[in-house]
Amino acid sequence: MHASSPLPSHSHRALSPRLDTRVPAGSWRILVVDSDERSARDLAQSLQRHRHDARAVTTGAAALREHSDADVVLLDLDLPDIDGLEICRSIATTSDTAVLAVTAHGSELDRVLGLQAGADDYVVKPYGFRELLARVDAVMRRARPKPAAMSMRVGPLHIEQATRTVELHGRVIPLTRKEFDLLQLLASPPGEIVPRRSILQRVWHDTDMTRSRTIDTHITSLRRKLGSPDWILTVRGVGFRLVQG
């Protein structure tokens, strides 16, 4: 994993200190996992300069030991001791820590496997540091969303949280409980891609991606009830986003 501006190398004992549980508002506790010690350290230091509490480790075993102290893990999937996909699965099933997978392999299959293993997002090397910061913030907005607004509007679509009702062009659209929860998630905010794993976790409180076909069933039903497939767009291999139909 490489930051955009390499920093001088340091000895192994100079790796960032243990994550502090007290971080400034708008900052995250970030665990960088990369077998390249210098790259891991440099990235952690770059993140620290942007007010994040970041530290680095170089093995999958260390990631499994220490991820619970982090808000988000920047995980290089190419590790020498443990397969990165296995680490994703373990973190996803044992904690609420978000995972941003980082790898040099950028095929569609690689991205799908990473997301299905539990990664919240996927970044391919080489990447820009500002892009990485933006992706971390986006992942954390999804992992720790703000309380849902009592009322949301997307063009002619009106979602009322208090009464759990949906109106389109002033006409009430009858939705099941899960359909309402799914639509509300996609509308918070509209236009943002919501990964399948996040949908499964936040609507069905499940982490088993083999059961994600139920998402497609509910998406199909929502499209039918909204009268157009254009309301909800499929982002192949990633998830869905709500747009004005």
Side-chain angles (χ1 to χ4, degrees):
M1 194 183 302
H2 298 277
S4 55
S5 301
L7 300 175
S9 179
H10 301 277
S11 66
H12 179 72
R13 61 188 179 88
L15 285 175
S16 307
R18 188 167 182 79
L19 291 167
D20 188 349
T21 57
R22 298 167 298 176
V23 295
S27 300
W28 307 114
R29 296 172 299 165
I30 302 176
L31 180 65
V32 177
V33 185
D34 193 320
S35 59
D36 185 323
E37 182 178 320
R38 178 175 179 175
S39 295
R41 182 189 300 110
D42 289 352
L43 179 54
Q45 291 175 344
S46 296
L47 291 165
Q48 289 166 3
R49 289 198 297 271
H50 283 76
R51 300 177 64 247
H52 295 291
D53 180 16
R55 70 181 303 263
V57 297
T58 57
T59 66
L64 291 176
R65 286 196 307 269
E66 302 182 31
H67 70 82
S68 60
D69 287 333
D71 296 311
V72 60
V73 177
L74 300 184
L75 176 66
D76 192 317
L77 297 181
D78 301 312
L79 296 171
D81 57 335
I82 303 175
D83 181 74
L85 296 179
E86 288 301 320
I87 297 173
C88 280
R89 293 187 188 98
S90 178
I91 293 176
T93 56
T94 60
S95 76
D96 294 327
T97 303
V99 177
L100 182 59
V102 182
T103 180
H105 308 296
S107 72
E108 179 182 343
L109 177 59
D110 288 317
R111 294 195 300 272
V112 169
L113 289 175
L115 293 167
Q116 288 181 339
D120 295 273
D121 202 352
Y122 199 101
V123 179
V124 179
K125 299 179 182 179
Y127 57 82
F129 184 65
R130 286 181 295 179
E131 177 192 357
L132 181 68
L133 290 176
R135 287 184 178 273
V136 168
D137 285 341
V139 163
M140 292 311 301
R141 283 198 304 271
R142 293 193 294 265
R144 298 184 178 182
K146 297 178 181 178
M150 294 302 292
S151 179
M152 291 176 283
R153 285 191 178 275
V154 184
L157 183 67
H158 180 208
I159 303 171
E160 187 65 44
Q161 166 69 12
T163 58
R164 294 180 64 84
T165 57
V166 174
E167 294 183 3
L168 181 59
H169 297 292
R171 179 173 62 88
V172 174
I173 306 296
L175 299 180
T176 67
R177 182 170 62 86
K178 290 299 186 186
E179 287 171 350
F180 180 88
D181 292 342
L182 175 56
L183 183 61
Q184 180 178 253
L185 175 59
L186 293 174
S188 305
E192 184 171 305
I193 299 171
V194 185
R196 282 178 171 273
R197 176 171 174 261
S198 294
I199 294 173
L200 197 62
Q201 285 181 324
R202 292 166 59 184
V203 176
W204 280 272
H205 308 290
D206 197 351
T207 58
D208 185 355
M209 288 301 296
T210 63
R211 293 197 284 269
S212 71
R213 290 296 300 173
T214 189
I215 299 174
D216 297 282
T217 301
H218 284 74
I219 290 290
T220 299
S221 179
L222 274 176
R223 286 169 170 161
R224 177 176 54 80
K225 291 182 177 182
L226 293 174
S228 171
D230 295 335
W231 274 103
I232 303 173
L233 299 184
T234 299
V235 182
R236 188 177 179 186
V238 182
F240 302 90
R241 67 187 184 96
L242 180 70
V243 297
Q244 184 171 334

